Amino acid sequence: MFETEFLLYIACILGGGISVFIVMWSWKFEKLNQVRTELETLKRSLDEMDEQAKLIVRTDMELNRTQEELDKKISGLYALHNLSRAVSTTLQEKQIFNMVDSAYLQDLGFQKACAFLWKASEEKFVLKMQIEYFPDEIERIKKAVELDKAFYLGLIKHNKGVSSIYRKENVTAVEKIKHAFGCNTFIISCILPKEGDKGFLFVGSEEKDVVITEGDEELITVLTNQIGQGLENARLFEQTWLAHQELEKKVKERTQELTCALEEVKMLSKRKTDFVSSVSHELRTPLTSIKGYASILLAEKLGQLPPEVKARLEKINRHSDELTHMINDLLDIAHIESGKIIMKRQSYEIKAIVEKILDLFSLQLKEKQISAQLNIDASCQNIFADSRQIERVFINLIGNAMKFTPAQGTISISARNVDGQVQVDVADSGCGIPEEAQGHIFEEFYRVDNSINDQVKGSGLGLSLVKQIIQAHGGKIWLNSKENQGTTFSFTMPQSAQ
Ligand code: ADP
């Protein structure tokens, strides 16, 4: 009994121990599993972190590379901007190409360059610029371009660039260019001015690991566009400059011709004036004698004269007067022209002068029933002139107006202030002057070929004298006339001493 109890006791203890052990063991097992799971989670997290770290490093490297590329692009763009500005302000072909130097080229990411233009007249490509090539290399390039000129002309014709970016269609071309220009990476872009020689620019690098992007191609295209525009500007400038030179040469030649002609005209005019003045002078003396003898005979101091002889003598006397008048006019024209007559200027009332002249013509005005109107503006009452000469101006102009205006017509004399000067208009409702005659009207001895002139006497010297007098006063004279409607002669003169 005791044994059984003891065994039972032992069994109980063992059972309890075992159960405790089992419980413990299962607890530990559970814990182990838990730890394992946690370990796996941890490992996964670590792996993930590792991946993330790798990603971060990769992204950082990527970023650095992008930053580098961006820096490269920025310095390329900056170089391009400066180059474009320099090219656009240059007006000589040679200088345009000289603008592209190795510093700019480096900023654009290249070391070597050369540019060719196609000279159609010589049927060949001419080298316009080269950077960082040795003479023998250049000779090789020239030969290669000459050999392959059809290819390069094709590029120009279709405005097609080529670069070392491999594309299906350009594999052979790329290899050929690489070999010809001795560069592993390159861009060729066309230079296409609107007119004139077209060509291409090659930029390249010997380094193999340089990556050419489409962005680089665009940059070089912008540069060649600028060069093309620069060449166009240079061509236009040269054309304008040549035209300007030509014009200047012509102007010089013409000026010289005109100066010679003017000198000749001056000399001829002086000769004419001298001749007219000496002939007139010589004529005046015998004319005075003729008139003197005619007057003596007419006065019948040498005996009575039959009426027919008296009538003839009166004619001689009248014609002598006319001749003297003409000679005096001629002499005055010559003297005013040569500056021998000095205008003694003073301020005179226009109204008083005109009224005096109208009074002289009062009889004829009455006979022809011509009404004369006077219209002097309040702002310009006076004229600054030589009184004798200004009276001659009015005598001639009013006399002509009266002569060429039919009966019952009108004459008006008006004066007004125009730009600080007196402008006098002598207008009539007469026969007018044909347009083709107007340009000659102030010439000496010019008279319009019309029926009135056939009937009335005149020398054709009056207007010429008037023009000389007005010009000697610093004024101008001109006319407005319409046939059968009337004529207005206008002249300007100073209002007061200037
Ligand atoms: P003249 O009157 O002695 O012929 P002028 O030199 O004064 O010489 O005039 C030249 C010509 O101009 C005149 O013959 C006349 O044909 C023309 N002429 C001048 N004034 C007038 C006028 N007011 N109306 C029409 N014709 C005129």
PDB file of all heavy atoms in Angstrom, residues 278-301:
ATOM      1  N   SER A 278      27.427 147.170-121.080  1.00  0.00           N
ATOM      2  CA  SER A 278      28.257 148.053-121.927  1.00  0.00           C
ATOM      3  C   SER A 278      27.529 148.438-123.215  1.00  0.00           C
ATOM      4  O   SER A 278      27.582 149.591-123.646  1.00  0.00           O
ATOM      5  CB  SER A 278      29.628 147.440-122.199  1.00  0.00           C
ATOM      6  OG  SER A 278      29.462 146.288-122.973  1.00  0.00           O
ATOM      7  N   VAL A 279      26.785 147.428-123.799  1.00  0.00           N
ATOM      8  CA  VAL A 279      26.050 147.751-125.034  1.00  0.00           C
ATOM      9  C   VAL A 279      24.975 148.805-124.748  1.00  0.00           C
ATOM     10  O   VAL A 279      24.829 149.781-125.487  1.00  0.00           O
ATOM     11  CB  VAL A 279      25.407 146.479-125.643  1.00  0.00           C
ATOM     12  CG1 VAL A 279      24.408 146.826-126.723  1.00  0.00           C
ATOM     13  CG2 VAL A 279      26.482 145.566-126.210  1.00  0.00           C
ATOM     14  N   SER A 280      24.255 148.589-123.628  1.00  0.00           N
ATOM     15  CA  SER A 280      23.190 149.544-123.277  1.00  0.00           C
ATOM     16  C   SER A 280      23.784 150.937-123.087  1.00  0.00           C
ATOM     17  O   SER A 280      23.224 151.938-123.529  1.00  0.00           O
ATOM     18  CB  SER A 280      22.491 149.129-121.986  1.00  0.00           C
ATOM     19  OG  SER A 280      22.158 147.798-122.035  1.00  0.00           O
ATOM     20  N   HIS A 281      24.922 150.932-122.425  1.00  0.00           N
ATOM     21  CA  HIS A 281      25.582 152.209-122.168  1.00  0.00           C
ATOM     22  C   HIS A 281      25.955 152.903-123.482  1.00  0.00           C
ATOM     23  O   HIS A 281      25.707 154.090-123.662  1.00  0.00           O
ATOM     24  CB  HIS A 281      26.836 151.945-121.334  1.00  0.00           C
ATOM     25  CG  HIS A 281      27.179 153.104-120.495  1.00  0.00           C
ATOM     26  ND1 HIS A 281      26.477 153.443-119.355  1.00  0.00           N
ATOM     27  CD2 HIS A 281      28.139 154.047-120.659  1.00  0.00           C
ATOM     28  CE1 HIS A 281      26.998 154.526-118.851  1.00  0.00           C
ATOM     29  NE2 HIS A 281      28.016 154.921-119.605  1.00  0.00           N
ATOM     30  N   GLU A 282      26.554 152.084-124.394  1.00  0.00           N
ATOM     31  CA  GLU A 282      26.970 152.623-125.700  1.00  0.00           C
ATOM     32  C   GLU A 282      25.773 153.109-126.506  1.00  0.00           C
ATOM     33  O   GLU A 282      25.866 154.085-127.233  1.00  0.00           O
ATOM     34  CB  GLU A 282      27.702 151.535-126.514  1.00  0.00           C
ATOM     35  CG  GLU A 282      29.040 151.123-125.951  1.00  0.00           C
ATOM     36  CD  GLU A 282      29.980 152.309-125.783  1.00  0.00           C
ATOM     37  OE1 GLU A 282      30.091 153.123-126.719  1.00  0.00           O
ATOM     38  OE2 GLU A 282      30.569 152.440-124.688  1.00  0.00           O
ATOM     39  N   LEU A 283      24.617 152.405-126.336  1.00  0.00           N
ATOM     40  CA  LEU A 283      23.421 152.775-127.105  1.00  0.00           C
ATOM     41  C   LEU A 283      22.808 154.080-126.592  1.00  0.00           C
ATOM     42  O   LEU A 283      22.194 154.825-127.345  1.00  0.00           O
ATOM     43  CB  LEU A 283      22.366 151.663-127.012  1.00  0.00           C
ATOM     44  CG  LEU A 283      22.559 150.456-127.931  1.00  0.00           C
ATOM     45  CD1 LEU A 283      21.520 149.386-127.626  1.00  0.00           C
ATOM     46  CD2 LEU A 283      22.399 150.883-129.400  1.00  0.00           C
ATOM     47  N   ARG A 284      22.976 154.260-125.296  1.00  0.00           N
ATOM     48  CA  ARG A 284      22.315 155.427-124.689  1.00  0.00           C
ATOM     49  C   ARG A 284      22.814 156.773-125.279  1.00  0.00           C
ATOM     50  O   ARG A 284      22.019 157.687-125.508  1.00  0.00           O
ATOM     51  CB  ARG A 284      22.512 155.405-123.180  1.00  0.00           C
ATOM     52  CG  ARG A 284      21.171 155.204-122.548  1.00  0.00           C
ATOM     53  CD  ARG A 284      20.947 155.415-121.144  1.00  0.00           C
ATOM     54  NE  ARG A 284      22.026 155.497-120.221  1.00  0.00           N
ATOM     55  CZ  ARG A 284      21.834 155.328-118.929  1.00  0.00           C
ATOM     56  NH1 ARG A 284      20.647 155.058-118.477  1.00  0.00           N
ATOM     57  NH2 ARG A 284      22.825 155.455-118.095  1.00  0.00           N
ATOM     58  N   THR A 285      24.112 156.875-125.560  1.00  0.00           N
ATOM     59  CA  THR A 285      24.695 158.139-126.042  1.00  0.00           C
ATOM     60  C   THR A 285      24.130 158.535-127.420  1.00  0.00           C
ATOM     61  O   THR A 285      23.550 159.630-127.553  1.00  0.00           O
ATOM     62  CB  THR A 285      26.238 158.032-126.085  1.00  0.00           C
ATOM     63  OG1 THR A 285      26.654 157.215-124.998  1.00  0.00           O
ATOM     64  CG2 THR A 285      26.917 159.378-126.034  1.00  0.00           C
ATOM     65  N   PRO A 286      24.228 157.616-128.454  1.00  0.00           N
ATOM     66  CA  PRO A 286      23.639 158.042-129.742  1.00  0.00           C
ATOM     67  C   PRO A 286      22.141 158.262-129.661  1.00  0.00           C
ATOM     68  O   PRO A 286      21.590 159.148-130.310  1.00  0.00           O
ATOM     69  CB  PRO A 286      23.947 156.879-130.682  1.00  0.00           C
ATOM     70  CG  PRO A 286      24.386 155.755-129.827  1.00  0.00           C
ATOM     71  CD  PRO A 286      24.887 156.326-128.554  1.00  0.00           C
ATOM     72  N   LEU A 287      21.488 157.475-128.770  1.00  0.00           N
ATOM     73  CA  LEU A 287      20.032 157.621-128.633  1.00  0.00           C
ATOM     74  C   LEU A 287      19.680 159.005-128.073  1.00  0.00           C
ATOM     75  O   LEU A 287      18.713 159.650-128.530  1.00  0.00           O
ATOM     76  CB  LEU A 287      19.519 156.521-127.695  1.00  0.00           C
ATOM     77  CG  LEU A 287      18.058 156.147-127.872  1.00  0.00           C
ATOM     78  CD1 LEU A 287      17.807 155.596-129.264  1.00  0.00           C
ATOM     79  CD2 LEU A 287      17.661 155.112-126.839  1.00  0.00           C
ATOM     80  N   THR A 288      20.473 159.446-127.128  1.00  0.00           N
ATOM     81  CA  THR A 288      20.244 160.779-126.547  1.00  0.00           C
ATOM     82  C   THR A 288      20.403 161.838-127.649  1.00  0.00           C
ATOM     83  O   THR A 288      19.594 162.778-127.751  1.00  0.00           O
ATOM     84  CB  THR A 288      21.257 161.054-125.401  1.00  0.00           C
ATOM     85  OG1 THR A 288      21.391 159.884-124.631  1.00  0.00           O
ATOM     86  CG2 THR A 288      20.819 162.216-124.526  1.00  0.00           C
ATOM     87  N   SER A 289      21.421 161.644-128.529  1.00  0.00           N
ATOM     88  CA  SER A 289      21.628 162.620-129.628  1.00  0.00           C
ATOM     89  C   SER A 289      20.442 162.595-130.579  1.00  0.00           C
ATOM     90  O   SER A 289      19.910 163.645-130.960  1.00  0.00           O
ATOM     91  CB  SER A 289      22.873 162.286-130.443  1.00  0.00           C
ATOM     92  OG  SER A 289      23.930 162.044-129.621  1.00  0.00           O
ATOM     93  N   ILE A 290      20.007 161.347-130.951  1.00  0.00           N
ATOM     94  CA  ILE A 290      18.866 161.220-131.887  1.00  0.00           C
ATOM     95  C   ILE A 290      17.657 161.965-131.318  1.00  0.00           C
ATOM     96  O   ILE A 290      17.015 162.785-131.965  1.00  0.00           O
ATOM     97  CB  ILE A 290      18.519 159.736-132.139  1.00  0.00           C
ATOM     98  CG1 ILE A 290      19.664 159.045-132.878  1.00  0.00           C
ATOM     99  CG2 ILE A 290      17.214 159.587-132.913  1.00  0.00           C
ATOM    100  CD1 ILE A 290      19.549 157.538-132.985  1.00  0.00           C
ATOM    101  N   LYS A 291      17.391 161.646-130.009  1.00  0.00           N
ATOM    102  CA  LYS A 291      16.221 162.262-129.368  1.00  0.00           C
ATOM    103  C   LYS A 291      16.397 163.789-129.293  1.00  0.00           C
ATOM    104  O   LYS A 291      15.464 164.574-129.531  1.00  0.00           O
ATOM    105  CB  LYS A 291      16.030 161.664-127.968  1.00  0.00           C
ATOM    106  CG  LYS A 291      14.664 161.948-127.419  1.00  0.00           C
ATOM    107  CD  LYS A 291      14.428 161.290-126.093  1.00  0.00           C
ATOM    108  CE  LYS A 291      13.462 162.068-125.230  1.00  0.00           C
ATOM    109  NZ  LYS A 291      12.274 162.543-125.861  1.00  0.00           N
ATOM    110  N   GLY A 292      17.648 164.212-129.019  1.00  0.00           N
ATOM    111  CA  GLY A 292      17.946 165.661-128.918  1.00  0.00           C
ATOM    112  C   GLY A 292      17.696 166.344-130.242  1.00  0.00           C
ATOM    113  O   GLY A 292      16.965 167.352-130.310  1.00  0.00           O
ATOM    114  N   TYR A 293      18.243 165.752-131.345  1.00  0.00           N
ATOM    115  CA  TYR A 293      18.055 166.369-132.673  1.00  0.00           C
ATOM    116  C   TYR A 293      16.582 166.350-133.066  1.00  0.00           C
ATOM    117  O   TYR A 293      16.055 167.341-133.584  1.00  0.00           O
ATOM    118  CB  TYR A 293      18.878 165.625-133.729  1.00  0.00           C
ATOM    119  CG  TYR A 293      20.361 165.933-133.618  1.00  0.00           C
ATOM    120  CD1 TYR A 293      21.304 164.916-133.477  1.00  0.00           C
ATOM    121  CD2 TYR A 293      20.820 167.271-133.672  1.00  0.00           C
ATOM    122  CE1 TYR A 293      22.655 165.191-133.371  1.00  0.00           C
ATOM    123  CE2 TYR A 293      22.177 167.551-133.555  1.00  0.00           C
ATOM    124  CZ  TYR A 293      23.093 166.516-133.400  1.00  0.00           C
ATOM    125  OH  TYR A 293      24.411 166.809-133.288  1.00  0.00           O
ATOM    126  N   ALA A 294      15.899 165.254-132.774  1.00  0.00           N
ATOM    127  CA  ALA A 294      14.470 165.174-133.118  1.00  0.00           C
ATOM    128  C   ALA A 294      13.694 166.258-132.371  1.00  0.00           C
ATOM    129  O   ALA A 294      12.812 166.917-132.950  1.00  0.00           O
ATOM    130  CB  ALA A 294      13.926 163.792-132.749  1.00  0.00           C
ATOM    131  N   SER A 295      14.055 166.462-131.094  1.00  0.00           N
ATOM    132  CA  SER A 295      13.361 167.482-130.289  1.00  0.00           C
ATOM    133  C   SER A 295      13.621 168.875-130.866  1.00  0.00           C
ATOM    134  O   SER A 295      12.691 169.694-130.978  1.00  0.00           O
ATOM    135  CB  SER A 295      13.825 167.444-128.841  1.00  0.00           C
ATOM    136  OG  SER A 295      13.623 166.184-128.317  1.00  0.00           O
ATOM    137  N   ILE A 296      14.897 169.133-131.247  1.00  0.00           N
ATOM    138  CA  ILE A 296      15.238 170.450-131.812  1.00  0.00           C
ATOM    139  C   ILE A 296      14.434 170.680-133.091  1.00  0.00           C
ATOM    140  O   ILE A 296      13.808 171.726-133.284  1.00  0.00           O
ATOM    141  CB  ILE A 296      16.752 170.538-132.101  1.00  0.00           C
ATOM    142  CG1 ILE A 296      17.543 170.581-130.784  1.00  0.00           C
ATOM    143  CG2 ILE A 296      17.092 171.791-132.950  1.00  0.00           C
ATOM    144  CD1 ILE A 296      19.031 170.396-130.938  1.00  0.00           C
ATOM    145  N   LEU A 297      14.439 169.639-133.941  1.00  0.00           N
ATOM    146  CA  LEU A 297      13.700 169.772-135.209  1.00  0.00           C
ATOM    147  C   LEU A 297      12.216 169.976-134.958  1.00  0.00           C
ATOM    148  O   LEU A 297      11.583 170.825-135.562  1.00  0.00           O
ATOM    149  CB  LEU A 297      13.902 168.520-136.081  1.00  0.00           C
ATOM    150  CG  LEU A 297      15.303 168.360-136.680  1.00  0.00           C
ATOM    151  CD1 LEU A 297      15.441 166.993-137.344  1.00  0.00           C
ATOM    152  CD2 LEU A 297      15.562 169.458-137.750  1.00  0.00           C
ATOM    153  N   LEU A 298      11.681 169.191-133.964  1.00  0.00           N
ATOM    154  CA  LEU A 298      10.241 169.283-133.658  1.00  0.00           C
ATOM    155  C   LEU A 298       9.862 170.649-133.106  1.00  0.00           C
ATOM    156  O   LEU A 298       8.779 171.173-133.367  1.00  0.00           O
ATOM    157  CB  LEU A 298       9.859 168.208-132.632  1.00  0.00           C
ATOM    158  CG  LEU A 298       9.275 166.915-133.192  1.00  0.00           C
ATOM    159  CD1 LEU A 298       9.081 165.898-132.078  1.00  0.00           C
ATOM    160  CD2 LEU A 298       7.951 167.162-133.902  1.00  0.00           C
ATOM    161  N   ALA A 299      10.807 171.249-132.383  1.00  0.00           N
ATOM    162  CA  ALA A 299      10.551 172.574-131.816  1.00  0.00           C
ATOM    163  C   ALA A 299      10.600 173.650-132.910  1.00  0.00           C
ATOM    164  O   ALA A 299      10.363 174.829-132.643  1.00  0.00           O
ATOM    165  CB  ALA A 299      11.581 172.862-130.725  1.00  0.00           C
ATOM    166  N   GLU A 300      10.969 173.227-134.146  1.00  0.00           N
ATOM    167  CA  GLU A 300      11.030 174.067-135.349  1.00  0.00           C
ATOM    168  C   GLU A 300      11.981 175.240-135.163  1.00  0.00           C
ATOM    169  O   GLU A 300      11.751 176.357-135.634  1.00  0.00           O
ATOM    170  CB  GLU A 300       9.619 174.524-135.734  1.00  0.00           C
ATOM    171  CG  GLU A 300       8.748 173.339-136.144  1.00  0.00           C
ATOM    172  CD  GLU A 300       7.358 173.717-136.634  1.00  0.00           C
ATOM    173  OE1 GLU A 300       6.817 174.699-136.136  1.00  0.00           O
ATOM    174  OE2 GLU A 300       6.863 173.015-137.526  1.00  0.00           O
ATOM    175  N   LYS A 301      13.064 174.929-134.362  1.00  0.00           N
ATOM    176  CA  LYS A 301      14.051 175.986-134.147  1.00  0.00           C
ATOM    177  C   LYS A 301      14.906 176.179-135.396  1.00  0.00           C
ATOM    178  O   LYS A 301      15.543 177.200-135.596  1.00  0.00           O
ATOM    179  CB  LYS A 301      14.944 175.617-132.961  1.00  0.00           C
ATOM    180  CG  LYS A 301      14.235 175.861-131.627  1.00  0.00           C
ATOM    181  CD  LYS A 301      15.117 175.533-130.452  1.00  0.00           C
ATOM    182  CE  LYS A 301      14.300 175.676-129.182  1.00  0.00           C
ATOM    183  NZ  LYS A 301      14.849 174.964-128.079  1.00  0.00           N
TER     184      LYS A 301
END
